[in-house]
Amino acid sequence: MSLLELDNIVVEFPTRRGPLEAVKGLSLDLDEGEILGLVGESGAGKSITGAAITGLIEPPGLIRSGEVRLRGARIDNLPADKMRRIRGKEIGAIFQDPLTSLNPVYTVGEQLVDTMRVHLGLDQKTARQRAIDWLAEVGIPAPEARLDQYPHQFSGGMRQRVVIALALCAEPKLIIADEPTTALDVSVQAQILSLLKRLCRENGTAVVLVTHDMGVIAETADRVAVMYAGRLVEIGDVKQVIEEPLHPYTRGLMASIPQIGIRDRRLTQIEGAMPGLRNPAPGCAFAPRCPRAMDHCHSIRPAPQDAGTGQVACHLYGETS
Amino acid sequence: MFAFLIRRIIQAALVMLVVASIAFLMFRFLGDPISNLLPEDATVQDRAEMREKLGLNDPVLVQYGRFIADAAQGDFGQSYRNNRPVSDLLAERFPATAELVLVAAGLALALGVPLGIYTALNPRGWLSQGLQVISLLGISVPTFVTGILLILVFSVSLGWLPSFGRGKVVDLGWWTTGFLTVSGLKALILPAIMLALFQMTLIMRLVRAEMLEVLRADYIKFAKARGIPNRMLHFKYALKNTLIPVMTIFGLQLGGLIAFAIITETVFQWPGMGFLFIQAVNFTDVPVMAAYLVLVSFIFVVINTLVDLLYNVADPRLRAERTPARGV
Amino acid sequence: MSNFMPMLYAFWDSDITYSFRKSRVAVISALVLLAMFLTAIFAPSLAPQDPFNIAELDLFDSELPPAWAEGGSAAYLLGTDTQARDVLSSIMYGMRISLLVGFASVILAAVMGVALGLLGGFLGGIVDAVLMRIADVLLSFPPILVALLINGILRGALPSSAQAESALIVLILSIGLTNWVQYARTVRGSTMVERRKEYIEAARTLGTGKLAIMIKHILPNVLGPVLVIATINLGMAVLTEATLSFLGVGMPPTQPSLGTLIQIGNEFLFSGIWWVVVFPAAALAILVLAVNLLGDWLRDALNPKLR
């Protein structure tokens, strides 16, 4: 049984001109200890998918249909207090901006201790000691002293380390990391990623790594899922998707990554832009921009089918080709 | 910290100087001290003598210097209206205003903050909606109208509470207090409520707005994602962030209370400094106007400086500006 | 003109009009305000009586309660005061004065504030520094106090015989000169942002004079928030005027605003003729409430963060 299953999730936002589907029928699984990258452009629906898993979609948005299952049990329809217990203890989260993720008027130690006492029932002293251990674990020097400092006294990279400690300290089995390194300096990004990867491997924590940066995925993930216009277009092992992408969109993404060392290749672009979420056209959402679109691509939407090391939603690979 | 304090004190002194200068200009160009201080049948010679005595023949700069020096010691001369030293008049009336303002401030805080928190946490409850409406009324209905309404209901119709004066006061030498007598306390109730109402609605709206803003912040989202229970989320994590700016704004509003006291004192004929000021404006009693202006400015400046100091101490981000962020 | 219908439709369908139509509160407030404006403008024709024309007063009719109470008369819907003046008519004329002072002072404050803000933001340097210092000092005092002070000074500077006639001007000046600071600050901020933009650079290269740049280019772009401030300010201005009149330093009884009416009525609180105070007070409260509600809605509608 997988750790996490998303079964045909549809996330809807009511607007004054009618409901808008940000995620349209997404399904994927995640095994224990696995790091899954969730990649796509801005607006593709990846962050919302992350929010759907933790049950933190901003109202009036809601999960219109589909199920989210943790170890086989449904969690998308739980009452609020039960869901709260799952958050932090079973599912942790890391957000993009470490500066705004930490409460500026409380010390780092207090925020760590509170989280652990809530979920692990520790007493003050033990929790403090654990907090010091965690700070050391994420690579913060002089943790006893730093425990009583305020977030603004840490640099950007340090803060994100604290955020990671906070997310992991209640020992969840799954972490949703939403663009964890986007707000950091490039030199720091690699460090944070390797820290995250190491800790998750060591503790057997699965990760859903949401990002628009393929480089991050290549570094860190085991498998990668590519989203476009609210749907899954390809999913498979990282090595395969990067070296031999199946879906034309994924091909375009890979080709548009600048590569050091190759000088005379022009930077490839994918013509056009991702369609808005309102009034989706029938057929494949990528068809208007696809260099290999066939006639029926514009009228029949391709369903995900097994291909490569995972699945792909494209008429090029199905029985209909 | 020390440098900061010095800087603020210098700023404060500058403001006081400007205010005192305006007061001096008022003295110089408004009203006629001589006609006010002498009886109607004074002769030309009497007037000339008076001019000399008041030093009105000296060059302007000398008069200015003298004015500032006197003002710094609290001497503003005699009131035109009733020929008594202005400082005496103000000293007599200060306790009345002070007690009123203190009670009103306490009331506004004690009710405004909890209600503001409640309406932020339960925005759709009927009590919240009701309070929203009342608070909107609170800032739309002029304060003197609420005062009159209070008098209509509690004095005229029900006859429970007095509608003017301070009741019996106890003289403690340099201070007269209404706290120690039943009639004093009774007389304090309606004016304090009137004065507090506006501030209370302001605080309530402020706390609510601030808290709603805080509840939308990323760190609250992250705390929620960590499964922090609602009670801790609201009352520990959101509250402190809300109250710090609110406290400072309230401190700055204290000045507003003193100003609004003018209206309250007029409605209830409360013998405080505000009432004195209005009578002075009506009569163009310049010494009293000037003295009130300087005194109130002084109080404001002190409050502002204290609030700034407090804010620096309370918000950890500002406190630790000396320890820069380290590490990678 | 073929563009007109689509333009009108676009406006009707635009975000802001939609938000307006959706908000019952905003619509009701706007209607109430409109009714009050019209009453104020047409008071001489609408009011059943001119309360300041002694010839129309019949002392027999003084101290009559409202029409629905015992002893009341349909001719005086809301009753009369001790000098047989019809309360309803007094309110209409009073509203006229209150609105006049309110609007005039807001316009004065806005013009002054916008002008100073443009100057400070555009010229920078010492002009701006001085301006900001003055603004800071002014803002640290409660507006009612500043208004009272300016009022006191202006009145004191006038001979007592002229005080009654000039009350209107004095009031407008007092309130206007108190309230310009918010406008100045906002406009200054926006100006400083705009002046660094390229179109200003372009205008300067073309040799356009500083004044022309300020008025033709920058001004239209910084006016947005000014409208919101003005609406909120209107309520405050009306309240301040009412307060000053109530305290006895505003409009005199010969030319009363709503505040003056309340002050006059207040004297008779204990003699049982409550209608002389309650109705003007209610009118004032409704007026300011409507303005505030509309201002609240406008502020929320124009706030980019809430969209």
Side-chain angles (χ1 to χ4, degrees), chain A residues 122-134:
Chain A
L122 305 172
D123 63 276
Q124 180 76 13
K125 211 156 167 245
T126 323
R128 252 188 90 85
Q129 188 51 52
R130 268 305 168 92
I132 296 178
D133 295 338
W134 271 110

Side-chain angles (χ1 to χ4, degrees), chain A residues 180-253:
Chain A
T181 52
T182 310
L184 302 173
D185 289 339
V186 173
S187 51
V188 173
Q189 279 185 17
Q191 292 177 3
I192 298 294
L193 281 176
S194 80
L195 172 69
L196 192 59
K197 192 166 175 179
R198 173 175 71 80
L199 285 176
C200 292
R201 289 270 185 259
E202 281 176 10
N203 294 309
T205 315
V207 180
V208 174
L209 184 55
V210 175
T211 177
H212 61 273
D213 185 346
M214 263 313 208
V216 166
I217 298 288
E219 265 297 308
T220 329
D222 300 319
R223 284 198 302 150
V224 58
V226 181
M227 281 186 78
Y228 186 80
R231 288 186 206 278
L232 190 68
V233 297
E234 180 165 357
I235 182 170
D237 290 348
V238 153
K239 203 156 157 39
Q240 175 249 303
V241 173
I242 288 186
E243 288 176 11
E244 291 164 6
L246 295 175
H247 196 281
Y249 175 62
T250 322
R251 287 234 185 108
L253 272 186

Side-chain angles (χ1 to χ4, degrees), chain B residues 238-297:
Chain B
L239 194 60
K240 200 170 175 190
N241 299 75
T242 308
L243 286 184
I244 292 180
V246 166
M247 277 303 137
T248 51
I249 297 189
F250 174 70
L252 299 173
Q253 294 283 4
L254 267 183
L257 267 181
I258 298 181
F260 273 101
I262 299 179
I263 307 172
T264 312
E265 292 180 14
T266 310
V267 171
F268 287 92
Q269 312 240 21
W270 187 265
M273 295 190 309
F275 198 25
L276 184 67
F277 181 64
I278 282 293
Q279 291 168 325
V281 169
N282 249 318
F283 189 83
T284 316
D285 185 350
V286 180
V288 173
M289 280 169 69
Y292 182 82
L293 173 68
V294 171
L295 180 61
V296 164
S297 309

